[in-house]
Amino acid sequence: MGPRPLRLLLNRTTGLRVVQSGLNPNRRPLAAHIWAKEKAGWYVEPSWVSERLFAVEKFEGAVWDPACGIGRIAEAARQAGYRTIATDMVDRGYQRLDTCVDFLCCEAPRARNVVCNPPFELCDQFVRRALHLAGGKVAMIWLARRLNAARWLTNTPLAHVYLLTPRPSMPPGHVIAAGEKPGGGTQDFCWLVFSHKHKGPPTLHWLCRDGGHQ
């Protein structure tokens, strides 16, 4: 007998897709945590992702998050002792939002460092704009599967790549706003850290939720 056919069902209440066996209707569906694509590119990382970054990576001067969303990166920076500037194109309800602005149209820097979780479809543009504006470091959350094709990174001052483990779940912002608590993620992410002072190839590390760093 061949493999059982699988079918994807869309839960109309939560927006989650679940995988269900076509030959065993009594089997409990498994939540795959695959959400509908967020049109504005607003995805929310777990708090530990930025908390762990600031624990191992040091920045000189203020930290600007130009895609601050609900403020998780900015709050982690504040807790680490940094002065922060938080902006976004849309007010997502972050109480310390400084202003709404399109980062890709900014001509003047607001801080020496840029740290953010950019819209996935605009990652390349965000990195280029950040490197143009920031005189210190730039740190961006990146889909790890895109690294192999991003050959243009060889012409940037990429200093460190931090692979995030365990695989973090980064659902669309509306999922978090609705109070849902997502489980395990389905994609691999990393931090890319750039420094204008860096020379040579980047180093590779693992950044662990529970405190490990290699």
Side-chain angles (χ1 to χ4, degrees):
M1 180 180 295
R4 294 180 177 181
L6 298 177
R7 55 196 178 97
L8 286 175
L9 302 178
L10 180 64
N11 184 314
R12 295 181 180 179
T13 302
T14 65
L16 293 177
R17 294 178 182 178
V18 296
V19 180
Q20 189 177 60
S21 168
L23 297 182
N24 188 358
N26 296 321
R27 184 176 179 180
R28 184 179 179 180
L30 300 175
H33 293 291
I34 302 175
W35 292 275
K37 188 175 182 180
E38 171 65 47
K39 292 182 179 180
W42 177 38
Y43 294 85
V44 181
E45 73 286 346
S47 296
W48 69 265
V49 168
S50 45
E51 290 169 356
R52 292 293 299 123
L53 175 74
F54 289 114
V56 301
E57 193 72 35
K58 303 306 177 186
F59 298 83
E60 296 179 3
V63 171
W64 175 17
D65 181 354
C68 69
I70 58 175
R72 288 190 173 175
I73 290 175
E75 285 302 301
R78 283 171 54 84
Q79 293 172 12
Y82 296 102
R83 183 174 70 85
T84 62
I85 294 88
T87 65
D88 206 322
M89 284 191 66
V90 179
D91 185 347
R92 305 291 186 184
Y94 179 43
Q95 294 182 348
R96 293 190 173 94
L97 176 73
D98 289 283
T99 187
C100 288
V101 64
D102 183 349
F103 176 63
L104 297 180
C105 294
C106 289
E107 294 296 335
R110 294 173 180 255
R112 183 169 173 77
N113 308 285
V114 172
V115 182
C116 75
N117 182 3
F120 294 160
E121 298 303 320
L122 300 175
C123 286
D124 297 10
Q125 296 177 53
F126 261 68
V127 168
R128 291 186 174 97
R129 176 57 58 177
L131 288 173
H132 173 72
L133 294 173
K137 290 183 178 180
V138 170
M140 298 270 177
I141 293 175
W142 198 274
L143 279 164
R145 61 180 168 81
R146 291 187 175 179
L147 285 176
N148 289 0
R151 296 178 59 185
W152 63 272
L153 287 173
T154 61
N155 297 318
T156 67
L158 178 60
H160 309 299
V161 177
Y162 292 98
L163 302 176
L164 297 169
T165 182
R167 179 182 288 163
S169 179
M170 297 195 191
H174 67 264
V175 173
I176 299 299
E180 295 186 37
K181 296 181 179 180
T186 61
Q187 303 233 44
D188 292 306
F189 293 92
C190 61
W191 278 106
L192 301 187
V193 179
F194 306 81
S195 173
H196 288 292
K197 296 180 180 180
H198 179 74
K199 303 295 182 183
T203 59
L204 178 65
H205 310 269
W206 280 263
L207 198 58
C208 305
R209 177 186 59 195
D210 300 326
H213 168 232
Q214 300 177 357

